[in-house]
Amino acid sequence: MLGKRQTSTDPIPGLDTGDTAWVLASTALVFIMIPGLGYFYSGMVRSKNAVSLVLLCSLSMSIIAFQWVFWGYSLAFSKTATSSVIGNVRYFLLLHINDTTHPNAPTIPETLFAMFQGLFAALTGALTIGAAAERVRFMPTLVYFFIWTTLVYCPIAYWTWSANGFLSKLGVYDFAGGTPVEICSGFSALAYALVLGKRHGFGEESFEPHNYLNIQLGAALLWFGWFGFNSGSVVAANGRAGVAIFDTHIAGALAGLSWALVAYIRYGRKFSSFHFCSGAVSGMVAITPAAGFVAPWAALVFGAVAGVVCHFAVELKEKFGFDDALDVFAVHGVGGMVGMLLTGIFADKKIAILSGQVIGGGWINGRWKQLPIQMAAIAAGALWSLIISFLILYIMNLIPFLEMRVHHEAEATGLDLAEMGEAGYNYAPNPNQPPSTLLSYNFEPTPKDSDTNSNTRRSNSEPQQDPSPSLDGLQMNFNEKAPRPDTGPSEPPNQMDDEQKMSKAQPEINEKP
């Protein structure tokens, strides 16, 4: 017989079931952004590296989930810390939060708030990998995720969102992560590119996207998840959450359009799905610090400006000679700075009050000092991310078993096979198959036309040939027959003539390891 259900008052005072339900849904939306980012990245690389980007994003989520429970949440959001720089370890292993709320989210359980913010950290770590695509070792990357989240992400999140953080006390407006997520990931990615160096062939050959459908699928998942990322940051189901989700959509749409139109004018008078998707992401990056502070009409400005500025920012890697493989710095670093600056101009106290937050507003409310405050946050986040990330990677690179870059042979083979032993596309033989049954493959790409600029990937809207191995570019020798043994002078001469004719009719390809 079942016991009688006991009734009691809610053990968490002030808990609101509607707010809790919305943040639960938002948490699921933020989760889908991580595999979405993996697909977005995988489409932009050569086919031999496609699977590696999806897995690296998933590994970021796993390692940072452990770090977040271990001490990351406490370092970033400890309620008892008094430092202006970093939290304490009071909530180590998420102790003491089972029946509490957090000051930043007073109407939902703190466990849910910790989960929601933990996915922000995981996504930020995954973003940085884009700069190191096609040449990074997996095992050291796992160590990097843990150290980087501890020394880079957690301090910046504490500065920005903790009541005692020095940027919070300064009065910065950063709604959902312009500095902790976007600027942090962009400048950390720049450090990654500087430490690893350029891919082999950078500046000499074109690194083209291999799958535009993956790019569009990834961008759609990011767009969908961003609704929870920004609107969920209200941590309440109210009118301000409605404004935030609308701002996110408008900024993404306008940025995708503005980037695509600029590319249309500059390159070949053709619309590119790749340019549109890159632009849409840049717009949602820019609106992230402002989504709960600006009116929908201002989001139009955010999108249009971000799409154009980030489009031209892609060319910085050519001018300064660093190989940010997937333009994380241009889209997230520069896009985050654009968003933070525009927030100082367009932040409106009428929007913030929708959830009960009282602010002075930006320039449109006559608060002229807000823009310099936003600039100070940009400088602090950018310098810390760049310098500390560079030091972490540089020191790791000096340790033999933690060196970050794969060897040249592995880079030429592709990370899918070299680091994972798996191929996303069935273009290569099974390495475990006996050599006697293998076909002879030539993995040299077909020579390209005159264009060898490594930035053609973004500057040319026409699809280019993928330099990775494909069935079209393979030459096979189907002569698997073992050499005939010497049969002596009694062998009829016309048999040798037949074999010679067959060998002349079929080109012979040298095997390459």
Side-chain angles (χ1 to χ4, degrees), residues 135-424:
R135 62 199 189 277
V136 66
R137 292 178 63 214
F138 277 41
M139 189 58 70
T141 300
L142 303 184
V143 179
Y144 159 79
F145 281 142
F146 187 93
I147 299 174
W148 176 88
T149 309
T150 301
L151 299 181
V152 178
Y153 180 84
C154 289
I156 297 177
Y158 183 86
W159 303 347
T160 307
W161 290 322
S162 171
N164 291 320
F166 76 89
L167 290 180
S168 178
K169 289 182 176 180
L170 189 63
V172 68
Y173 297 158
D174 193 340
F175 185 69
T179 303
V181 177
E182 308 301 351
I183 292 175
C184 178
S185 63
F187 280 85
S188 296
L190 177 59
Y192 224 143
L194 294 174
V195 172
L196 262 66
K198 304 172 185 177
R199 288 167 290 178
H200 292 288
F202 180 81
E204 300 174 358
E205 60 182 270
S206 180
F207 296 93
E208 294 298 323
H210 88 280
N211 192 320
Y212 292 95
L213 291 176
N214 272 12
I215 295 173
Q216 293 183 73
L217 173 62
L221 291 174
L222 285 170
W223 200 323
F224 179 65
W226 229 303
F227 292 147
F229 189 90
N230 283 349
S231 186
S233 294
V234 180
V235 291
N238 56 29
R240 194 180 184 190
V243 172
I245 201 170
F246 200 10
D247 285 351
T248 303
H249 182 64
I250 292 172
L254 262 292
L257 183 61
S258 63
W259 185 316
L261 287 175
V262 172
Y264 176 87
I265 295 170
R266 297 183 73 196
Y267 312 120
R269 294 297 193 272
K270 293 183 179 180
F271 280 102
S272 165
S273 62
F274 179 67
H275 288 300
F276 176 81
C277 291
S278 298
V281 172
S282 72
M284 289 182 284
V285 166
I287 201 64
T288 292
F293 290 118
V294 303
W297 66 265
L300 296 171
V301 180
F302 278 75
V305 173
V308 175
V309 172
C310 293
H311 171 88
F312 287 101
V314 170
E315 299 175 2
L316 292 174
K317 68 179 183 183
E318 299 296 331
K319 294 180 180 179
F320 294 99
F322 60 90
D323 185 9
D324 178 0
L326 304 183
D327 299 315
V328 184
F329 174 72
V331 174
H332 294 271
V334 174
M337 290 190 290
V338 168
M340 288 291 287
L341 292 173
L342 292 179
T343 301
I345 297 173
F346 293 100
D348 190 344
K349 56 187 178 182
K350 294 179 181 179
I351 302 299
I353 200 64
L354 293 174
S355 66
Q357 184 179 5
V358 178
I359 64 171
W363 280 13
I364 64 170
N365 297 134
R367 184 179 169 86
W368 310 110
K369 70 176 184 179
Q370 190 59 45
L371 186 60
I373 293 174
Q374 301 296 109
M375 295 172 67
I378 291 172
L383 289 174
W384 184 264
S385 301
L386 179 63
I387 294 171
I388 303 302
S389 298
F390 185 91
L391 290 175
I392 292 170
L393 293 162
Y394 183 81
I395 293 171
M396 288 181 62
N397 222 26
L398 296 177
I399 303 172
F401 61 91
L402 290 179
E403 58 186 13
M404 301 300 299
R405 183 163 181 161
V406 298
H407 296 299
H408 176 59
E409 294 79 6
E411 185 177 340
T413 301
L415 299 190
D416 289 359
L417 290 177
E419 288 287 304
M420 301 172 58
E422 299 173 349

Side-chain angles (χ1 to χ4, degrees), residues 462-485:
E462 295 191 19
Q464 301 289 327
Q465 184 176 357
D466 184 4
S468 17
S470 65
L471 286 174
D472 295 336
L474 294 178
Q475 294 176 310
M476 306 179 201
N477 183 358
F478 291 95
N479 187 14
E480 299 175 0
K481 189 176 179 180
R484 291 170 57 100

